[in-house]
């Protein structure tokens, strides 16, 4: 961890009047690679003086429908796959009134911008609104995205019209020609 992380932790501990805190890191043991990632986070955080990480191992079902839904976590390792091919599939998760906003992060400016996204008809203006909303979300650390799974595909240049989709079944071969 960096000096900046230690400095931020030290400042937070001072504000709390504590020399050490323990955070519960909840993860699903049946969700690889989330279990591996949780262990990585525990090891990374252990380098910070004054921070202890308590690992809370559970199943995906218990994590989502009990612990997260009830707010019974400090940190939670989770993942969200896109439901459709648009950034709002992720951005709407952070809306104050979204049922999947388990951390209960709330920002009125963010909600207002996302309200404009849903009705904006100009593609460039809509895109800029989503960038503005994401900046707020990232600066406030409402969610901390760590990685996005993806794939790479080699395609022979003689193959034409292969449909590649961002979600669901990855390829459509219906219109392929060679």
């Amino acid at each position: 961890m960096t000096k900046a992380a230690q400095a931020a932790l030290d400042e937070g501990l001072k504000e709390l009047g504590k020399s050490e805190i323990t955070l519960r890191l909840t993860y699903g043991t049946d969700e690889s690679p989330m279990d591996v990632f949780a262990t990585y986070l525990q090891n990374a955080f252990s380098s910070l003086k004054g921070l202890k990480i308590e690992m809370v191992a559970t199943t995906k079902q218990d994590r989502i429908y009990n612990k997260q839904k009830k707010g019974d976590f400090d940190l939670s390792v989770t993942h969200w796959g896109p439901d459709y091919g648009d950034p709002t599939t992720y951005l709407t998760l952070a809306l104050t009134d979204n049922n999947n906003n388990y951390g209960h992060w709330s920002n009125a400016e963010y909600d207002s911008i996302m309200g404009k996204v849903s009705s904006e008809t100009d593609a460039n203006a809509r895109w800029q609104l989503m960038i503005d909303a994401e900046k707020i979300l990232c600066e406030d650390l409402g969610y901390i995205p760590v990685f996005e799974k993806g794939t790479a595909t080699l395609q022979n240049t003689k193959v034409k019209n292969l449909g590649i989709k961002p979600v669901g079944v990855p390829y459509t071969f219906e219109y392929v020609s060679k």
Side-chain angles (χ1 to χ4, degrees), residues 109-158:
E109 184 180 4
Y110 181 88
D111 290 348
S112 174
I113 291 171
M114 287 304 297
K116 293 173 187 171
V117 167
S118 66
S119 61
E120 181 57 63
T121 57
D122 178 82
N124 291 328
R126 182 175 182 273
W127 189 257
Q128 186 58 55
L129 286 168
M130 289 187 289
I131 289 171
D132 295 343
E134 184 181 51
K135 283 179 185 176
I136 293 169
L137 181 61
C138 289
E139 287 172 4
D140 276 9
L141 301 175
Y143 289 90
I144 304 171
V146 180
F147 67 90
E148 174 67 36
K149 288 173 36 175
T151 61
T153 304
L154 292 176
Q155 180 179 331
N156 187 314
T157 57
K158 294 178 184 175

Coordinates of all heavy atoms in Angstrom, one line a residue, residues 109-158:
E109 N -26.7 15.1 -6.4 CA -26.2 15.6 -7.8 C -26.1 14.4 -8.7 O -26.5 14.5 -9.9 CB -24.8 16.2 -7.6 CG -24.3 16.8 -8.9 CD -23.0 17.5 -8.8 OE1 -22.4 17.5 -7.7 OE2 -22.5 18.0 -9.9
Y110 N -25.6 13.2 -8.2 CA -25.5 12.0 -9.0 C -26.9 11.6 -9.5 O -27.1 11.4 -10.7 CB -24.9 10.9 -8.2 CG -24.7 9.6 -9.0 CD1 -23.6 9.4 -9.7 CD2 -25.7 8.6 -8.9 CE1 -23.4 8.2 -10.4 CE2 -25.5 7.4 -9.6 CZ -24.4 7.2 -10.4 OH -24.3 6.1 -11.1
D111 N -27.9 11.5 -8.6 CA -29.2 11.2 -8.9 C -29.8 12.1 -10.0 O -30.5 11.6 -10.9 CB -30.1 11.1 -7.7 CG -29.8 10.0 -6.7 OD1 -29.0 9.1 -7.1 OD2 -30.3 10.0 -5.6
S112 N -29.5 13.4 -9.8 CA -30.1 14.4 -10.8 C -29.5 14.2 -12.2 O -30.2 14.2 -13.2 CB -29.7 15.8 -10.3 OG -30.1 16.7 -11.2
I113 N -28.2 14.0 -12.2 CA -27.5 13.7 -13.5 C -28.1 12.4 -14.2 O -28.4 12.4 -15.4 CB -26.0 13.7 -13.4 CG1 -25.4 15.0 -13.0 CG2 -25.3 13.1 -14.7 CD1 -24.0 15.0 -12.6
M114 N -28.2 11.4 -13.4 CA -28.7 10.1 -13.9 C -30.2 10.3 -14.4 O -30.6 9.6 -15.3 CB -28.6 9.0 -12.9 CG -27.1 8.5 -12.7 SD -26.3 8.0 -14.3 CE -27.3 6.6 -14.7
G115 N -30.9 11.1 -13.8 CA -32.3 11.4 -14.2 C -32.3 12.1 -15.6 O -33.1 11.7 -16.4
K116 N -31.3 12.9 -15.8 CA -31.1 13.5 -17.2 C -30.7 12.5 -18.2 O -31.1 12.6 -19.4 CB -30.2 14.7 -17.1 CG -30.6 15.9 -16.2 CD -29.6 16.9 -16.1 CE -30.0 18.0 -15.1 NZ -28.9 18.9 -14.7
V117 N -29.9 11.6 -17.8 CA -29.4 10.5 -18.7 C -30.6 9.8 -19.3 O -30.6 9.5 -20.5 CB -28.4 9.6 -18.0 CG1 -28.2 8.3 -18.9 CG2 -27.1 10.2 -17.7
S118 N -31.5 9.5 -18.4 CA -32.7 8.6 -18.9 C -33.6 9.3 -19.9 O -34.3 8.6 -20.6 CB -33.5 8.2 -17.7 OG -34.1 9.3 -17.1
S119 N -33.5 10.6 -20.0 CA -34.4 11.3 -20.9 C -33.6 12.1 -22.1 O -34.2 12.6 -23.0 CB -35.2 12.3 -20.2 OG -34.5 13.3 -19.5
E120 N -32.3 12.0 -22.0 CA -31.4 12.7 -23.0 C -31.5 12.0 -24.3 O -31.3 10.8 -24.4 CB -30.0 12.8 -22.5 CG -29.1 13.6 -23.5 CD -29.6 15.0 -23.8 OE1 -29.6 15.8 -22.9 OE2 -29.9 15.2 -25.0
T121 N -31.8 12.7 -25.4 CA -31.9 12.1 -26.7 C -30.7 12.3 -27.6 O -30.5 11.5 -28.5 CB -33.2 12.6 -27.5 OG1 -33.1 14.1 -27.6 CG2 -34.5 12.3 -26.8
D122 N -29.9 13.3 -27.3 CA -28.6 13.5 -28.0 C -27.6 12.5 -27.5 O -27.2 12.6 -26.3 CB -28.2 15.0 -27.9 CG -26.9 15.2 -28.6 OD1 -26.9 15.4 -29.8 OD2 -25.8 15.2 -27.9
A123 N -27.0 11.7 -28.3 CA -26.1 10.6 -27.9 C -24.8 11.2 -27.2 O -24.4 10.7 -26.2 CB -25.7 9.7 -29.1
N124 N -24.3 12.3 -27.8 CA -23.1 12.9 -27.3 C -23.3 13.5 -25.9 O -22.5 13.4 -25.0 CB -22.5 13.9 -28.2 CG -21.9 13.2 -29.5 OD1 -21.4 12.1 -29.4 ND2 -22.0 13.9 -30.6
A125 N -24.5 14.2 -25.8 CA -24.8 14.9 -24.5 C -25.1 13.8 -23.4 O -24.7 13.9 -22.3 CB -26.0 15.8 -24.7
R126 N -25.7 12.7 -23.8 CA -26.0 11.6 -22.9 C -24.7 11.0 -22.4 O -24.6 10.7 -21.2 CB -26.9 10.6 -23.6 CG -27.3 9.4 -22.7 CD -28.3 8.5 -23.5 NE -28.7 7.4 -22.6 CZ -28.1 6.2 -22.5 NH1 -26.9 6.0 -23.2 NH2 -28.5 5.3 -21.7
W127 N -23.8 10.8 -23.3 CA -22.5 10.2 -23.0 C -21.8 11.0 -22.0 O -21.2 10.6 -21.0 CB -21.7 10.0 -24.3 CG -20.5 9.2 -24.0 CD1 -19.2 9.6 -23.9 CD2 -20.4 7.7 -23.8 NE1 -18.3 8.6 -23.7 CE2 -19.0 7.4 -23.6 CE3 -21.3 6.7 -23.8 CZ2 -18.6 6.1 -23.4 CZ3 -20.9 5.4 -23.6 CH2 -19.5 5.1 -23.4
Q128 N -21.8 12.4 -22.2 CA -21.1 13.3 -21.3 C -21.8 13.3 -19.9 O -21.1 13.3 -18.9 CB -21.1 14.7 -21.9 CG -20.3 15.7 -21.0 CD -18.8 15.2 -20.9 OE1 -18.1 15.0 -21.8 NE2 -18.3 15.1 -19.6
L129 N -23.1 13.2 -19.9 CA -23.8 13.1 -18.6 C -23.3 11.8 -17.8 O -23.1 11.9 -16.6 CB -25.3 13.1 -18.8 CG -25.9 14.4 -19.2 CD1 -27.4 14.2 -19.6 CD2 -25.9 15.4 -18.0
M130 N -23.2 10.7 -18.5 CA -22.8 9.5 -17.9 C -21.3 9.6 -17.4 O -21.0 9.1 -16.3 CB -22.9 8.3 -18.8 CG -24.4 7.9 -19.0 SD -24.6 6.4 -20.0 CE -24.1 6.9 -21.6
I131 N -20.5 10.3 -18.1 CA -19.1 10.5 -17.7 C -19.1 11.4 -16.4 O -18.4 11.1 -15.4 CB -18.2 11.2 -18.8 CG1 -18.0 10.2 -19.9 CG2 -16.9 11.8 -18.2 CD1 -17.4 10.8 -21.2
D132 N -19.9 12.4 -16.4 CA -20.0 13.3 -15.2 C -20.5 12.5 -14.0 O -20.0 12.7 -12.9 CB -21.0 14.5 -15.5 CG -20.4 15.4 -16.6 OD1 -19.2 15.3 -16.9 OD2 -21.3 16.2 -17.1
A133 N -21.5 11.7 -14.2 CA -22.0 10.9 -13.1 C -21.0 9.9 -12.6 O -20.8 9.8 -11.4 CB -23.3 10.1 -13.6
E134 N -20.3 9.3 -13.5 CA -19.2 8.3 -13.1 C -18.1 9.0 -12.3 O -17.6 8.4 -11.3 CB -18.6 7.6 -14.3 CG -17.6 6.5 -13.9 CD -17.0 5.8 -15.0 OE1 -16.5 6.5 -16.0 OE2 -17.0 4.6 -15.0
K135 N -17.8 10.2 -12.6 CA -16.8 11.0 -11.9 C -17.2 11.2 -10.4 O -16.4 11.0 -9.5 CB -16.5 12.3 -12.6 CG -15.6 12.2 -13.8 CD -15.4 13.6 -14.4 CE -14.6 13.5 -15.7 NZ -14.5 14.8 -16.4
I136 N -18.4 11.5 -10.2 CA -19.0 11.7 -8.9 C -18.9 10.4 -8.1 O -18.4 10.4 -7.0 CB -20.4 12.3 -8.9 CG1 -20.4 13.7 -9.5 CG2 -21.1 12.2 -7.5 CD1 -21.8 14.2 -9.8
L137 N -19.4 9.3 -8.7 CA -19.4 8.0 -8.1 C -18.0 7.6 -7.7 O -17.7 7.1 -6.6 CB -20.0 7.0 -9.0 CG -20.1 5.6 -8.5 CD1 -21.0 5.5 -7.3 CD2 -20.7 4.7 -9.6
C138 N -17.0 7.8 -8.6 CA -15.6 7.4 -8.3 C -15.0 8.3 -7.3 O -14.3 7.8 -6.4 CB -14.8 7.4 -9.6 SG -15.2 6.0 -10.7
E139 N -15.2 9.6 -7.3 CA -14.6 10.5 -6.3 C -15.2 10.2 -4.9 O -14.5 10.3 -4.0 CB -14.9 12.0 -6.8 CG -14.0 12.4 -7.9 CD -14.4 13.8 -8.5 OE1 -15.2 14.4 -7.9 OE2 -13.8 14.1 -9.5
D140 N -16.5 9.9 -4.8 CA -17.1 9.6 -3.5 C -16.8 8.2 -3.0 O -17.2 7.9 -1.9 CB -18.6 9.8 -3.6 CG -19.1 11.3 -3.5 OD1 -18.2 12.2 -3.4 OD2 -20.3 11.5 -3.4
L141 N -16.3 7.4 -3.9 CA -16.0 6.0 -3.6 C -17.3 5.3 -3.2 O -17.3 4.4 -2.3 CB -15.0 5.8 -2.5 CG -13.6 6.4 -2.8 CD1 -12.7 6.3 -1.6 CD2 -12.9 5.8 -4.0
G142 N -18.4 5.6 -3.9 CA -19.7 4.9 -3.7 C -19.5 3.5 -3.9 O -20.1 2.6 -3.2
Y143 N -18.9 3.1 -5.0 CA -18.5 1.8 -5.3 C -17.0 1.9 -5.7 O -16.6 2.9 -6.3 CB -19.3 1.2 -6.4 CG -20.7 0.9 -6.0 CD1 -21.7 1.8 -6.2 CD2 -21.0 -0.4 -5.5 CE1 -23.0 1.5 -5.8 CE2 -22.3 -0.6 -5.1 CZ -23.3 0.3 -5.2 OH -24.6 0.0 -4.8
I144 N -16.3 0.8 -5.5 CA -14.9 0.8 -5.9 C -14.7 -0.3 -7.0 O -14.5 -1.4 -6.6 CB -13.9 0.6 -4.8 CG1 -14.2 1.7 -3.7 CG2 -12.5 0.7 -5.2 CD1 -13.5 1.5 -2.4
P145 N -14.8 0.0 -8.3 CA -14.6 -1.0 -9.3 C -13.1 -1.4 -9.3 O -12.2 -0.5 -9.3 CB -15.0 -0.3 -10.6 CG -14.9 1.2 -10.3 CD -15.1 1.4 -8.8
V146 N -12.9 -2.7 -9.4 CA -11.5 -3.1 -9.3 C -11.1 -3.8 -10.6 O -10.0 -3.5 -11.1 CB -11.3 -4.2 -8.2 CG1 -9.9 -4.7 -8.1 CG2 -11.7 -3.5 -6.8
F147 N -11.9 -4.6 -11.2 CA -11.6 -5.2 -12.5 C -12.9 -5.5 -13.3 O -13.9 -5.7 -12.7 CB -10.7 -6.4 -12.4 CG -11.3 -7.6 -11.7 CD1 -12.0 -8.5 -12.5 CD2 -11.3 -7.8 -10.3 CE1 -12.6 -9.6 -11.9 CE2 -11.9 -8.8 -9.7 CZ -12.5 -9.8 -10.5
E148 N -12.7 -5.6 -14.5 CA -13.8 -6.0 -15.4 C -13.3 -7.2 -16.2 O -12.3 -7.2 -16.8 CB -14.2 -4.9 -16.4 CG -15.2 -5.2 -17.4 CD -16.6 -5.5 -16.9 OE1 -17.0 -4.9 -15.9 OE2 -17.3 -6.4 -17.4
K149 N -14.1 -8.3 -16.2 CA -13.8 -9.5 -16.9 C -14.0 -9.2 -18.4 O -15.0 -8.5 -18.8 CB -14.5 -10.7 -16.5 CG -14.1 -11.2 -15.1 CD -14.9 -12.2 -14.5 CE -15.5 -13.3 -15.3 NZ -16.2 -14.3 -14.6
G150 N -13.2 -9.7 -19.3 CA -13.4 -9.5 -20.7 C -12.7 -10.6 -21.4 O -12.0 -11.4 -20.8
T151 N -12.8 -10.6 -22.7 CA -12.2 -11.6 -23.5 C -11.6 -11.0 -24.8 O -12.0 -9.9 -25.2 CB -13.1 -12.7 -24.0 OG1 -14.2 -12.2 -24.7 CG2 -13.7 -13.5 -22.8
A152 N -10.7 -11.6 -25.4 CA -10.2 -11.2 -26.7 C -10.4 -12.4 -27.7 O -10.4 -13.5 -27.3 CB -8.7 -10.9 -26.6
T153 N -10.6 -12.0 -28.9 CA -10.9 -13.0 -29.9 C -10.1 -12.8 -31.1 O -10.0 -11.6 -31.6 CB -12.4 -13.0 -30.3 OG1 -13.2 -13.1 -29.1 CG2 -12.7 -14.0 -31.3
L154 N -9.4 -13.8 -31.6 CA -8.7 -13.7 -32.9 C -9.8 -14.1 -34.0 O -10.5 -15.1 -33.9 CB -7.5 -14.6 -33.0 CG -6.4 -14.3 -32.1 CD1 -5.3 -15.3 -32.2 CD2 -5.8 -12.9 -32.5
Q155 N -9.8 -13.3 -35.0 CA -10.8 -13.6 -36.1 C -10.1 -13.5 -37.4 O -9.4 -12.5 -37.7 CB -11.9 -12.6 -36.0 CG -13.0 -12.8 -37.1 CD -14.1 -11.8 -37.0 OE1 -14.4 -11.3 -35.9 NE2 -14.7 -11.4 -38.1
N156 N -10.2 -14.5 -38.2 CA -9.6 -14.5 -39.6 C -10.3 -13.4 -40.4 O -11.5 -13.2 -40.3 CB -9.9 -15.9 -40.2 CG -9.2 -16.1 -41.6 OD1 -9.3 -15.2 -42.4 ND2 -8.6 -17.2 -41.8
T157 N -9.5 -12.7 -41.1 CA -10.0 -11.5 -41.9 C -11.0 -12.0 -43.0 O -11.7 -11.1 -43.5 CB -8.9 -10.7 -42.5 OG1 -8.1 -11.5 -43.3 CG2 -8.0 -10.1 -41.4
K158 N -11.0 -13.2 -43.3 CA -11.9 -13.7 -44.4 C -13.3 -13.9 -43.8 O -14.3 -14.1 -44.5 CB -11.4 -15.1 -44.9 CG -10.1 -14.9 -45.7 CD -9.6 -16.3 -46.2 CE -8.3 -16.1 -46.9 NZ -7.8 -17.4 -47.3

